[in-house]
């Protein structure tokens, strides 16, 4: 077997020699002088009383778990260095310029985002973690950061575990799982079990505790929180995605949709669909709000002196990732796109996300043809 060898020596400048310690590691702040970027470095350094050799595989497992997750609300891992013979290891991770979620709540009156928005980010992060086949198992305030841009970041997967691990019922780390701050406990704790639904309970327990401690009164999802907090795991939500569905349904019911809103939306989406004949083969619809808005903006800038969109495929490519057939003779007015863009850009983020989901649903109704169905 061939191997590619890289020079192992690389120097980092230590900026701060102690950012904190977890169950298996100590973190420091470093700078890579080659690219002038700041990172967090976590060193494998078990707590007193834990054998280095015994838990080194656990440290390596943390690296593997983090590499599986790619989500804006989960800390990114960039590199790692392992020295198996000496039981020494380092993880190079994203630096989060921010504070713990408790510190964020403590300064709540100074914040732009609401507890509802932070709660949703938490659920979206753990939905990704769950879909990646992972449980976190160390949910506490210090492991959930909020950046200066008020973006939630989940850190420290030192106690994380793969959901496919068959040893869940006899968990050797059960004694290490954080319970110090908790005032409510799930039934499965007494059975020595920990699943994704236990992550769900612990998130809700922590969030409810912070809401009460800092007297936050604008939280709108109390029913969802209480269902997550049911001591019986079978009476909680089946998964984090089910929570997101409940949040979307509730946010939709709270929307104030005017006749003018409906007119602008329907004129725009009808104009777009009127130009598309069929999708060809596997086709994805753009769901990223930022990408979508940037695409519309670029098309508007390119057509600012026109009455109609000059290049229809350029506009359709904002929506469609794949092949399609379109009607070359049909037109879309620039004003229709401009009115829609101006309308959407002024809406709140949850409103914008619901509009995006409606666009995806409408476009998904277009007929799909596969290559075998098409004439030569």
């Amino acid at each position: 077997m061939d191997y590619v060898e890289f020079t192992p020596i690389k120097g980092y400048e230590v900026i701060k020699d102690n950012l904190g310690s977890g169950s298996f590691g100590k973190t420091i702040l470093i700078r890579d002088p080659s690219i002038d970027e700041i990172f967090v470095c976590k060193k494998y350094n078990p707590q007193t009383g834990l054998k280095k050799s015994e838990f080194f595989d656990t440290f390596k497992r943390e690296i593997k778990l983090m590499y599986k997750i790619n989500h804006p609300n989960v800390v990114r891992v960039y590199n790692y260095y392992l020295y198996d013979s000496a039981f020494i290891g380092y993880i190079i991770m994203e630096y989060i310029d921010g504070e713990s979620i408790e510190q964020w709540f403590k300064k709540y009156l100074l914040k732009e985002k609401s507890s509802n928005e932070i709660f949703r980010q938490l659920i979206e992060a753990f939905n990704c973690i769950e879909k990646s086949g992972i449980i976190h198992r160390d949910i506490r305030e210090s492991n959930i950061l909020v950046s200066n841009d008020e973006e939630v970041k989940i850190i420290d997967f030192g106690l994380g575990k793969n959901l496919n691990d068959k040893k869940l019922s006899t968990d050797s780390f059960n004694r290490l799982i954080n319970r110090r701050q908790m005032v409510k406990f799930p039934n499965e704790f007494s059975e020595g079990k920990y699943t994704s639904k236990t992550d769900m309970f612990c998130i809700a327990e922590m969030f409810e505790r912070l809401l009460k401690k800092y007297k936050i009164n604008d939280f709108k999802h109390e029913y969802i929180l209480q269902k997550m907090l049911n001591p019986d795991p079978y009476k909680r939500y089946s998964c984090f995605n089910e929570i997101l569905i409940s949040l979307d349904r509730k946010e939709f019911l709270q929307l104030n949709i005017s006749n003018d809103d409906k007119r602008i939306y329907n004129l725009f989406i009808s104009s777009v669909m009127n130009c598309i004949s069929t999708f060809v083969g596997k086709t994805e619809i753009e769901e990223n709000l930022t990408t979508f808005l940037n695409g519309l903006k670029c098309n508007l800038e390119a057509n600012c002196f026109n009455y109609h969109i000059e290049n229809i495929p350029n506009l359709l490519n904002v929506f469609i990732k794949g092949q399609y057939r379109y009607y070359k003779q049909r037109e879309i007015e620039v004003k229709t796109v401009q009115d829609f863009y101006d309308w959407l850009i002024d809406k709140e983020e949850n409103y914008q996300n619901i509009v995006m989901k409606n666009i995806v649903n409408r476009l998904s109704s277009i007929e799909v043809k596969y290559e075998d169905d098409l004439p030569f």
Side-chain angles (χ1 to χ4, degrees):
M1 182 181 292
D2 294 331
Y3 290 90
V4 177
E5 293 189 7
F6 295 94
T7 305
I9 299 173
K10 182 175 178 66
Y12 292 91
E13 175 189 345
V14 177
I15 297 175
K16 191 172 182 179
D17 63 4
N18 190 2
L19 289 180
S21 300
S23 304
F24 300 106
K26 172 186 175 182
T27 57
I28 64 173
L29 192 64
I30 60 174
R31 186 180 74 88
D32 184 339
S34 302
I35 57 174
D36 191 26
E37 288 292 337
I38 296 175
F39 299 96
V40 167
C41 175
K42 181 174 181 178
K43 178 185 178 181
Y44 175 61
N45 186 31
Q47 294 176 355
T48 304
L50 301 179
K51 293 182 179 178
K52 272 193 172 185
S53 57
E54 184 179 355
F55 294 106
F56 189 62
D57 283 342
T58 303
F59 183 77
K60 292 197 288 186
R61 185 180 67 199
E62 179 179 6
I63 299 170
K64 189 173 181 179
L65 293 179
M66 293 178 73
Y67 261 109
K68 288 181 67 178
I69 305 170
N70 180 20
H71 193 273
N73 297 122
V74 179
V75 67
R76 293 174 62 187
V77 57
Y78 291 104
N79 208 341
Y80 64 89
Y81 302 95
L82 293 172
Y83 306 93
D84 294 74
S85 59
F87 302 112
I88 295 173
Y90 304 87
I91 310 175
I92 310 300
M93 297 179 291
E94 173 186 10
Y95 168 57
I96 313 300
D97 191 7
E99 58 199 349
S100 74
I101 191 170
E102 177 159 17
Q103 290 299 315
W104 184 86
F105 268 101
K106 194 174 182 179
K107 304 170 187 174
Y108 191 68
L109 294 176
L110 303 175
K111 301 301 181 181
E112 292 185 10
K113 293 193 175 178
S114 70
S115 58
N116 302 290
E117 292 170 290
I118 296 301
F119 180 72
R120 185 182 183 93
Q121 288 187 48
L122 264 175
I123 300 304
E124 288 178 343
F126 276 91
N127 181 48
C128 176
I129 291 169
E130 183 180 52
K131 285 184 174 180
S132 300
I134 294 167
I135 47 178
H136 188 280
R137 302 199 306 167
D138 196 11
I139 294 163
R140 45 181 161 150
E141 290 81 340
S142 59
N143 286 342
I144 299 173
L145 305 183
V146 182
S147 73
N148 289 340
D149 295 326
E150 296 189 79
E151 190 174 60
V152 168
K153 295 284 186 177
I154 311 302
I155 66 169
D156 199 344
F157 286 77
L159 293 182
K161 199 168 190 176
N162 193 309
L163 280 168
N164 295 322
D165 196 321
K166 297 179 180 179
K167 298 178 181 178
L168 286 174
S169 59
T170 55
D171 197 336
S172 60
F173 295 114
N174 193 49
R175 62 191 174 88
L176 296 174
I177 294 170
N178 181 67
R179 296 185 176 87
R180 189 177 305 166
Q181 302 291 337
M182 295 179 71
V183 295
K184 294 181 181 179
F185 302 93
N187 291 349
E188 60 266 35
F189 268 13
S190 61
E191 302 169 8
K193 294 181 179 179
Y194 198 111
T195 69
S196 185
K197 286 191 175 186
T198 317
D199 268 355
M200 186 184 296
F201 181 96
C202 292
I203 291 166
E205 194 278 337
M206 179 201 68
F207 208 86
E208 182 188 57
R209 188 159 27 84
L210 292 173
L211 288 171
K212 289 180 178 178
K213 182 175 181 179
Y214 295 102
K215 298 180 173 61
I216 308 301
N217 299 315
D218 65 352
F219 187 65
K220 298 177 181 177
H221 308 300
E222 188 62 31
Y223 170 78
I224 292 175
L225 199 67
Q226 292 309 314
K227 187 169 180 179
M228 293 170 65
L229 264 173
N230 196 304
D232 184 348
Y234 297 101
K235 293 181 180 178
R236 293 174 213 150
Y237 290 95
S238 61
C239 59
F240 282 96
N241 191 57
E242 189 180 353
I243 301 173
L244 286 177
I245 292 171
S246 294
L247 285 170
D248 288 340
R249 186 184 301 119
K250 189 169 183 180
E251 288 172 357
F252 173 75
L253 293 173
Q254 291 171 344
L255 291 180
N256 182 20
I257 304 174
S258 69
N259 288 330
D260 199 43
D261 292 336
K262 293 177 182 178
R263 179 188 61 79
I264 294 170
Y265 168 78
N266 279 290
L267 181 58
F268 173 75
I269 193 64
S270 297
S271 298
V272 169
M273 293 187 68
N274 188 49
C275 290
I276 304 171
S277 168
T278 56
F279 290 147
V280 180
K282 183 180 179 182
T283 305
E284 294 182 18
I285 312 300
E286 181 59 64
E287 296 185 50
N288 184 282
L289 179 63
T290 302
T291 303
F292 174 71
L293 289 172
N294 286 340
L296 289 184
K297 183 180 178 183
C298 289
N299 272 270
L300 288 168
E301 289 172 350
N303 290 273
C304 61
F305 293 105
N306 301 332
Y307 289 107
H308 295 90
I309 298 295
E310 190 171 32
N311 190 324
I312 292 294
N314 279 353
L315 179 62
L316 297 182
N317 290 340
V318 173
F319 302 85
I320 305 166
K321 294 183 284 186
Q323 293 183 317
Y324 56 87
R325 293 181 178 272
Y326 70 100
Y327 300 106
K328 295 182 180 180
Q329 292 77 23
R330 296 183 182 176
E331 297 179 327
I332 299 176
E333 290 187 7
V334 173
K335 185 178 185 306
T336 298
V337 181
Q338 185 71 64
D339 287 348
F340 176 80
Y341 178 82
D342 292 343
W343 167 77
L344 187 59
I345 206 79
D346 279 343
K347 296 295 184 183
E348 294 181 354
E349 187 176 351
N350 67 318
Y351 197 113
Q352 292 173 331
N353 288 327
I354 290 172
V355 170
M356 286 298 299
K357 288 176 183 177
N358 275 268
I359 289 173
V360 171
N361 288 336
R362 287 286 295 273
L363 291 176
S364 297
S365 67
I366 293 173
E367 182 184 5
V368 179
K369 289 201 172 191
Y370 294 91
E371 292 294 345
D372 291 342
D373 301 331
L374 298 173
F376 289 100

